[in-house]
Amino acid sequence: AKTSFASVVFENYTLALAVGTAVAFMLDTLQAEDSPTKLHAFFGQFELVSAYIFTAEYVLKVYSCVENPKYRGAVAGRLSYMKEFYSLVDLLSFLPFWIGFSSTLDGIATAAVRFVFPSAPSLGNSTKCLRLLRLLKFERYTTAFRAFDDIIRENIDVLAVTGFTACVLWIFFSSVLYFTERDNLDAETASYYNTVPRAMWVTLLNLSGESPLSNYSTAGKVITGIIGLFASGLFGIPIGVLGGGFEELADDEEEEGEIEADEDTTRSSGVEDKCKPFELRCFRFANGIGKAADVFEIVTYIFIMISVILGIVQTVNGYDNFMEKADWFIVIFFTIEYILRFVGAPADPSFATEPTFIGSLKSRGRFLFSFFSLIDLLAIVPFFYASALPGSWIDRHAGYLRMLRLFRLLMLEKYFPSLTLIDDVFRLKKKAMIKTCFAAGTLWIFFTALLFLAESHDTSNGIDPVPLYGCELLDDEAAARKKRFFLGIPMGQKRITSAMSHYDCTMSNRFSNFFDSFVYTGIHLTGDFPIIEYNTLGRVVCFFIVVVAVGVVSIPAGLIASGFAQIIEKRVDGRRVSVQRGNAGDDWYEFRLAELRNQDPPPSVFGPIVDDLQLKVHNFLNGDDALSQGFRWLMATVTCGNVLAVVLESIPEVSKHLDGMDVDFLGVFEVSSVIFFTIEYALRLFSARKNVEALYSPWIYATTFFGLVDLISIAPWFVFMYLRAFGYIDSGSEIADIFSVMRVFRILQIEGLWNVAFSKLDNVFRASKDVLKASALMALIVWIGCAALFFIFEENNPNWRECDESVPLVGTEDAPGCYDFASTAECNEYYPGMCAQSSF
């Protein structure tokens, strides 16, 4: 117990020491075992001193524990203390070191382990990994792992039944797949099923929801289909019980408290009274206060989306200057908007100071260095600079700088509050997040170390496919070339010799150090297994990742999602009817619909003739007579025909045959379909004033699930025709193919014929509109932001570079190779048109 300042200092010191030894282990894995360095020796001495300190701490704790009434008794009390969880953590913080310190114990234990796992590391190396257990010293502050004991005790009956069922399913399907796939014509697939124990590895992944292999026999495909549909759900119950129990236990301990909605910081009558009228008008106009300003703000948000789309399209080869004039117009528009915000800064409560000339300058200075201001400047200024000074550094890197415009998506926060809710979510789930993040992070580190130990010496399992330039280049110049590339240093005169040889890649290359292993372990902890070429010990580690760790690591994401939904629901409670849990459709729409069912539709403002026509159109589209039913069947047939056309176009033989015909049947059918769908959409909008399901409102119809489906079925075609007419895209381009594939969304229109499958989804869509808008914006920002980062960092990754056969992979002094260049653009400068980046 911490009873004095000195004890507090000592405990914090031991915690820091635990972190320090863990970091030392991670860094030490970067050192080659066969060539120890001074840094390696330093880490060894540091570990020795740490082991002495942790040993002394443990001895003193055991000696003094009898002072606690809970552990009375010289022998029994100390034994009782030594069996406590925290005492075991303290014991494990030094015991593995002393075991590995003894060469005799090291040899005996290593021989015993390698009898079962031939590729297992020595005990000395294993004990280095066990020093990471010292991180569990932080457990006394989070009690995260102690929660597992409570969960298992509370759910022991469920875990026993479901765990036994999962094991039976695992063994059963492994045996079945052994018989169906052991003679598979695909050698790789057959190698994973040549014995039942080997079959259990891939079957484990299948039962967890993964399917890393695909070349199954017909019977194997049926079995794996059954696993995917039924068995994986049953197999996941124990994992779900552990994960759900942990989340429930963490939620029980979270602080109670209401999260109040943020007040609008743009309202401040005091600021408005003190600033100049012109500044106030600029501020109000730029922030959408007023009718004209409201239109300006909506246009701003539309231009934000267009700007983001242009930024994405312009990264595609051949579309660098796509809609350049529109880009100019948008930049000028945002420049004007920025000037309005800059001038109106003294009237903005976020930046306002005293109502003086100096105060106005301070306000504008605060605005100038605000987050959104810097984002706007970084998106605007490089554009003008590159245009004024072509060939400059900014002009050469304009593509990267233009990606900063993606941050403008954050300005949509006013209409779709999402990012501002993150702080509320973390405050709402603070205790639970600390506990689960500690558990997830600790498991991540532990399993990283275990996979590193299991695979760092695995040279028997190769990587498929092997990179063309290999993994281990036997030349110092090769290492220099790789270093130049990853550091972005321009290539010098020195080239790599053509005689240089290379080895194929094995799992030891992937897991050569802790930090390389960290990445792959993180992927596995999400439930994804793109790598399956593990040795026996690696597969055992992955088994525990699947059974225990995946469920625990996913809990923080679940807590964020649930907290996000809770806060959104609280914020919209004031303007929507309280909804019973699990009945998402019973919201304002249903109540409003019930009110209108007994009311006559409103008369048309265009007179009785239009009113009568709207009623007839509504009866035709939604009636039960033979004519209405026939029309709906016709539209369903046309819809299925469109989907079938997309499928047929994807078959090379069919596509080639159609291209050779005099009449473009698919093109004529597409135009005819668009005419049909457009007429139907226009008629539904026209008659919405008589449709109680649309609440007698064209706008309600247009914003429902079915209204959006109707719009999506025709809008891409019109956009494509516009872009093609003005020469922005060609008919055979990749972007044109995207527009063509979007026709498959028309299949959702069949729902209108039976009104069964998606009718409930429409209710959910309306009831969850606020949550969907907020979460969709966050998902969009994360999606586009991550895609931009991948583009920036992976654009010149040699793993995705392809060169003409005449270009050597590794060059000579006079003729550089494909991978000798720091970028694909430099490669094309030396070998015009012979280098290409296949991804990113």
Side-chain angles (χ1 to χ4, degrees):
K2 295 180 286 186
T3 56
S4 65
F5 175 76
S7 66
V8 173
V9 172
F10 179 74
E11 182 154 350
N12 289 334
Y13 171 75
T14 56
L15 292 175
L17 198 61
V19 175
T21 54
V23 173
F25 163 75
M26 299 174 191
L27 295 176
D28 197 28
T29 63
L30 297 171
Q31 310 294 318
E33 293 183 10
D34 54 352
S35 57
T37 61
K38 292 182 179 180
L39 188 61
H40 180 78
F42 168 77
F43 288 146
Q45 293 298 318
F46 179 61
E47 172 61 18
L48 178 62
V49 173
S50 302
Y52 276 118
I53 293 174
F54 287 125
T55 304
E57 178 199 24
Y58 180 77
V59 171
L60 292 173
K61 283 185 176 181
V62 172
Y63 172 76
S64 61
C65 70
V66 293
E67 298 298 323
N68 188 334
K70 182 180 177 181
Y71 307 110
R72 289 296 184 185
V75 177
R78 288 189 172 95
L79 289 176
S80 177
Y81 172 79
M82 292 169 67
K83 291 187 294 183
E84 293 285 338
F85 175 79
Y86 296 130
S87 298
L88 293 175
V89 169
D90 290 336
L91 179 64
L92 291 173
S93 67
F94 67 87
L95 184 61
F97 173 82
W98 295 119
I99 295 176
F101 196 72
S102 170
S103 58
T104 303
L105 290 176
D106 186 6
I108 295 173
T110 300
V113 173
R114 286 181 175 173
F115 180 78
V116 181
F117 303 107
S119 61
S122 66
L123 182 63
N125 289 331
S126 300
T127 55
K128 293 179 182 179
C129 167
L130 292 176
R131 72 183 65 169
L132 294 174
L133 292 173
R134 294 168 185 169
L135 294 175
L136 290 176
K137 282 180 168 290
F138 290 92
E139 166 70 9
R140 67 182 72 247
Y141 300 101
T142 62
T143 67
F145 287 97
R146 293 191 66 183
F148 277 112
D149 182 60
D150 297 333
I151 294 167
I152 293 174
R153 290 176 185 274
E154 292 177 3
N155 300 279
I156 187 65
D157 294 332
V158 177
L159 286 173
V161 174
T162 56
F164 177 75
T165 305
C167 288
V168 171
L169 289 173
W170 184 20
I171 297 172
F172 172 76
F173 282 109
S174 298
S175 303
V176 173
L177 286 172
Y178 159 71
F179 284 109
T180 62
E181 303 305 315
R182 60 182 176 177
D183 297 320
N184 193 300
L185 296 178
D186 181 70
E188 180 185 10
T189 303
S191 67
Y192 283 103
Y193 293 98
N194 54 15
T195 67
V196 172
R198 288 184 63 84
M200 291 179 71
W201 164 234
V202 179
T203 306
L204 172 70
L205 301 181
N206 293 151
L207 288 168
S208 68
E210 277 291 289
S211 186
L213 301 178
S214 59
N215 296 321
Y216 289 102
S217 63
T218 303
K221 291 177 181 178
V222 173
I223 298 301
T224 53
I226 294 173
I227 291 176
L229 289 174
F230 305 107
S232 59
L234 295 173
F235 185 81
I237 291 176
I239 301 174
V241 169
L242 287 174
F246 198 97
E247 184 173 349
E248 182 179 352
L249 189 65
D251 281 340
D252 290 341
E253 298 179 2
E254 74 179 23
E255 294 179 339
E256 296 292 335
E258 295 294 327
I259 302 297
E260 298 181 358
D262 295 334
E263 296 294 331
D264 188 354
T265 57
T266 61
R267 296 189 178 94
S268 179
S269 57
V271 174
E272 294 180 358
D273 294 338
K274 296 177 183 179
C275 65
K276 297 178 181 179
F278 179 69
E279 294 171 341
L280 179 59
R281 285 196 295 271
C282 288
F283 166 72
R284 293 174 66 88
F285 188 80
N287 287 275
I289 304 175
K291 292 184 178 180
D294 190 51
V295 174
F296 177 80
E297 190 174 44
I298 292 174
V299 172
T300 300
Y301 293 130
I302 293 174
F303 279 174
I304 287 174
M305 297 304 300
I306 295 176
S307 175
V308 169
I309 293 172
L310 288 179
I312 295 172
V313 174
Q314 288 171 356
T315 63
V316 180
N317 285 334
Y319 292 88
D320 307 63
N321 298 315
F322 181 72
M323 297 186 72
E324 187 176 11
K325 293 181 180 178
D327 213 9
W328 260 103
F329 180 80
I330 291 172
V331 171
I332 292 173
F333 177 87
F334 282 124
T335 303
I336 296 172
E337 188 234 5
Y338 181 83
I339 293 173
L340 289 173
R341 293 185 182 276
F342 179 79
V343 174
D348 190 334
S350 301
F351 311 110
T353 56
E354 63 271 14
T356 61
F357 176 74
I358 300 299
S360 296
L361 293 180
K362 289 182 179 179
S363 299
R364 293 188 175 101
R366 293 173 64 184
F367 167 78
L368 190 65
F369 292 98
S370 65
F371 176 76
F372 286 111
S373 172
L374 293 175
I375 291 301
D376 280 341
L377 288 176
L378 289 174
I380 294 172
V381 173
F383 185 89
F384 289 115
Y385 190 93
S387 300
L389 298 174
S392 62
W393 183 90
I394 290 182
D395 185 32
R396 294 195 305 271
H397 297 82
Y400 297 117
L401 295 174
R402 280 201 299 266
M403 300 304 292
L404 293 171
R405 70 182 64 177
L406 300 178
F407 284 101
R408 288 177 178 156
L409 286 170
L410 298 176
M411 298 180 68
L412 297 174
E413 180 75 10
K414 180 176 180 180
Y415 284 145
F416 311 108
S418 57
L419 296 181
T420 55
L421 302 179
I422 290 296
D423 179 61
D424 291 342
V425 170
F426 277 96
R427 284 191 285 118
L428 179 66
K429 302 284 185 179
K430 180 179 179 181
K431 284 191 174 181
M433 287 295 298
I434 291 174
K435 180 174 295 189
T436 55
C437 286
F438 172 75
T442 305
L443 286 175
W444 191 357
I445 292 173
F446 285 171
F447 282 110
T448 296
L450 291 174
L451 279 179
F452 163 72
L453 286 174
E455 297 295 328
S456 58
H457 295 87
D458 181 8
T459 57
S460 59
N461 289 298
I463 295 176
D464 185 24
V466 177
L468 295 176
Y469 50 85
C471 280
E472 294 186 29
L473 302 176
L474 301 181
D475 196 291
D476 291 338
E477 292 177 311
R481 176 185 65 81
K482 293 170 71 177
K483 186 174 182 179
R484 286 198 304 269
F485 170 78
F486 286 109
L487 294 179
I489 302 173
M491 290 186 46
Q493 298 297 319
K494 196 172 184 180
R495 299 292 182 183
I496 310 302
T497 60
S498 59
M500 182 179 56
S501 60
H502 61 80
Y503 294 125
D504 287 343
C505 304
T506 64
M507 293 294 281
S508 62
N509 298 109
R510 277 186 173 142
F511 294 88
S512 60
N513 58 67
F514 179 90
F515 299 99
D516 286 345
S517 307
F518 192 75
V519 176
Y520 297 112
T521 308
I523 295 172
H524 291 336
L525 287 171
T526 65
D528 193 10
F529 278 82
I531 301 171
I532 61 173
E533 301 90 358
Y534 288 104
N535 59 28
T536 304
L537 185 58
R539 294 178 183 183
V540 172
V541 175
C542 289
F543 168 80
F544 288 101
I545 289 178
V546 171
V547 172
V548 179
V550 170
V552 177
V553 171
S554 64
I555 294 174
L559 287 174
I560 293 174
S562 63
F564 194 83
Q566 286 177 29
I567 293 176
I568 287 290
E569 289 175 2
K570 289 178 182 179
R571 292 193 174 189
V572 300
D573 272 346
R575 56 186 179 84
R576 48 187 296 198
V577 179
S578 180
V579 182
Q580 291 183 349
R581 187 179 180 129
N583 198 1
D586 296 333
D587 68 338
W588 66 269
Y589 174 81
E590 275 65 30
F591 287 97
R592 181 60 177 157
L593 181 62
E595 292 175 0
L596 295 177
R597 283 203 182 277
N598 297 323
Q599 297 181 19
D600 294 330
S604 173
V605 296
F606 299 103
I609 297 177
V610 175
D611 191 72
D612 184 60
L613 186 58
Q614 286 177 331
L615 186 60
K616 290 181 179 179
V617 172
H618 167 68
N619 292 334
F620 171 73
L621 293 174
N622 302 285
D624 295 326
D625 57 277
L627 184 61
S628 298
Q629 290 282 359
F631 175 77
R632 287 198 289 272
W633 275 106
L634 173 64
M635 297 306 297
T637 303
V638 174
T639 300
C640 293
N642 274 264
V643 176
L644 181 61
V646 174
V647 174
L648 292 176
E649 285 179 340
S650 66
I651 303 174
E653 294 80 2
V654 176
S655 179
K656 183 178 180 180
H657 176 73
L658 293 173
D659 290 340
M661 300 181 69
D662 296 333
V663 180
D664 184 8
F665 288 102
L666 292 182
V668 173
F669 178 66
E670 168 67 3
V671 174
S672 304
S673 301
V674 170
I675 294 174
F676 271 109
F677 290 133
T678 304
I679 293 174
E680 183 198 20
Y681 183 66
L683 291 176
R684 291 193 179 278
L685 281 175
F686 174 73
S687 63
R689 298 288 294 177
K690 306 302 177 185
N691 185 2
V692 69
E693 299 290 339
L695 304 185
Y696 300 135
S697 168
W699 173 252
I700 293 295
Y701 162 73
T703 55
T704 61
F705 176 80
F706 298 113
L708 293 176
V709 167
D710 290 340
L711 179 62
I712 292 174
S713 68
I714 59 174
W717 186 85
F718 287 104
V719 174
F720 167 70
M721 295 303 294
Y722 170 82
L723 295 176
R724 192 181 70 172
F726 287 91
Y728 294 117
I729 60 176
D730 299 324
S731 298
S733 64
E734 293 181 357
I735 296 181
D737 293 337
I738 293 174
F739 281 104
S740 177
V741 171
M742 290 182 72
R743 285 179 290 170
V744 298
F745 286 109
R746 293 172 183 169
I747 197 172
L748 296 175
Q749 291 187 315
I750 298 178
E751 161 66 14
L753 186 63
W754 293 286
N755 197 30
V756 176
F758 290 94
S759 57
K760 293 298 181 183
L761 182 59
D762 186 37
N763 292 344
V764 173
F765 178 79
R766 295 194 192 97
S768 308
K769 188 179 296 184
D770 296 286
V771 177
L772 288 174
K773 286 193 297 186
S775 57
L777 175 61
M778 180 177 294
L780 181 66
I781 293 173
V782 172
W783 179 25
I784 296 179
C786 290
L789 291 175
F790 270 117
F791 167 72
I792 292 172
F793 293 116
E794 297 295 315
E795 183 186 12
N796 294 302
N797 189 328
N799 288 294
W800 313 114
R801 188 178 303 165
E802 296 178 353
C803 296
D804 187 78
E805 294 181 356
S806 61
V807 179
L809 296 180
V810 180
T812 62
E813 293 286 344
D814 301 321
C818 181
Y819 302 115
D820 289 336
F821 297 94
S823 69
T824 305
E826 288 185 12
C827 183
N828 274 317
E829 288 180 5
Y830 197 95
Y831 298 105
M834 296 185 182
C835 310
Q837 203 75 6
S838 60
S839 299
F840 302 105

